[in-house]
Amino acid sequence: MRFELATAPGDPERPNEDWASVALPAAGQGGSLVLLDGVTPPASDYGCVHPVPWFTAGLGGALLELSASRRDLTLTEVLAEAIRRTADAHRETCDLSHVRTPQATVVLARWCAEEIEHLVLSDSALLLEAHDGTVRAVLDDRLDRVPPEILASLAATDALRNAQGGFFTAAADPAVAGLAVTGVTARADVRALAALSDGASRWVDMFGEGDWAECVAVLRKEGAQSLIDRVRARERAEPTTPLVRRWKRHDDAAVIYAEL
């Protein structure tokens, strides 16, 4: 097995809100990976005394522990319990009903000798590479379906945040876990996995520098940090006008690459 993790803040003056980790509890027989992309709140109040990295660390740690130690739980149940635990940790101090309470996208994968389970919530990506080099991208595209003019308005975006007809993130409601994209793939059919926050996946889905298979090839040949470096170089080459999606020239980026 080979694993590589890399992450970098979009702005060195701000904390990195992404979170990524891998667990190998079964001596090579199985494992799990977790990647979160914390949602940056506006400068105005968001009902919580904690910064987003506090939330992603708590949620990510709970997801890693539960996915590795509770194989009797489905990944949907793992996410629901992790959200519940994290909410309980600040329920007494914060307004968890606030629409912008700390939240994150989620990529979660768990494997054993026979199969790979996966779960994706919101706009981070999970890539599954077959032995012939073809790559299947597991995506939750609900945010991408929201028109840009809606996303340009904070109030309009908030009306669709964790709401039917809109898009969903892991925040304080465990029920959102039931809305994640999930599935199971035979482990024998998969050569490698890759999890990307949207700050890293923009190499494909914003800049069109390659397709998903070429993205995995970069990870195999050059490593996880190289993909982030390629993204940063492409961002710097853009004109000074703001980039189109999410209006961030540089975003936090996280990558996990796993050869199984």
Side-chain angles (χ1 to χ4, degrees):
M1 290 185 177
R2 171 192 167 197
F3 299 93
E4 283 200 31
L5 289 78
T7 184
D11 180 349
E13 301 301 317
R14 291 178 53 87
N16 188 342
E17 296 169 340
D18 287 0
W19 193 94
S21 192
V22 174
L24 294 173
Q29 296 303 306
S32 60
L33 64 81
V34 179
L35 183 144
L36 306 179
D37 181 353
V39 177
T40 304
S44 57
D45 177 59
Y46 55 97
C48 186
V49 300
H50 301 98
V52 173
W54 175 91
F55 174 79
T56 52
L59 181 63
L63 286 168
L64 196 67
E65 184 230 317
L66 289 165
S67 62
S69 66
R70 292 294 306 275
R71 289 193 169 264
D72 57 312
L73 300 179
T74 67
L75 293 188
T76 300
E77 292 168 333
V78 165
L79 177 57
E81 177 58 24
I83 292 173
R84 185 177 297 108
R85 283 191 189 182
T86 310
D88 287 347
H90 65 142
R91 194 179 303 280
E92 300 302 317
T93 58
C94 306
D95 177 11
L96 303 190
S97 67
H98 197 295
V99 69
R100 291 188 297 276
T101 190
Q103 52 202 268
T105 74
V106 179
V107 175
L108 179 58
R110 179 171 64 185
W111 59 92
C112 62
E114 293 77 31
E115 63 185 23
I116 300 169
E117 306 163 77
H118 67 256
L119 179 150
V120 175
L121 184 68
S122 199
D123 62 343
S124 293
L126 177 68
L127 309 179
L128 294 90
E129 184 191 39
H131 293 279
D132 64 0
T134 59
V135 172
R136 175 164 64 98
V138 180
L139 306 170
D140 175 359
D141 66 353
R142 282 171 287 201
L143 180 57
D144 288 329
R145 292 184 226 155
V146 179
E149 57 270 22
I150 298 293
L151 295 176
S153 164
L154 182 61
T157 301
D158 282 348
L160 295 177
R161 188 184 303 277
N162 289 318
Q164 292 300 326
F167 59 95
F168 298 90
T169 57
D173 181 7
V176 77
L179 300 171
V181 177
T182 60
V184 178
T185 304
R187 180 168 174 176
D189 294 338
V190 177
R191 178 168 67 180
L193 298 172
L196 313 173
S197 68
D198 69 339
S201 68
R202 55 172 56 182
W203 189 78
V204 174
D205 56 25
M206 178 184 287
F207 298 126
E209 290 292 296
D211 59 21
W212 294 120
E214 290 168 318
C215 181
V216 174
V218 169
L219 294 174
R220 173 176 291 105
K221 295 174 183 176
E222 302 177 17
Q225 184 60 48
S226 179
L227 179 64
I228 296 176
D229 292 344
R230 283 171 172 250
V231 169
R232 295 292 185 250
R234 187 64 175 80
E235 289 166 343
R236 290 191 295 270
E238 282 294 309
T240 56
T241 54
L243 293 172
V244 289
R245 203 179 69 171
R246 310 294 185 269
W247 300 278
K248 288 182 181 179
R249 173 167 291 279
H250 304 292
D251 196 4
D252 297 342
V255 178
I256 301 174
Y257 174 68
E259 286 183 358
L260 304 180

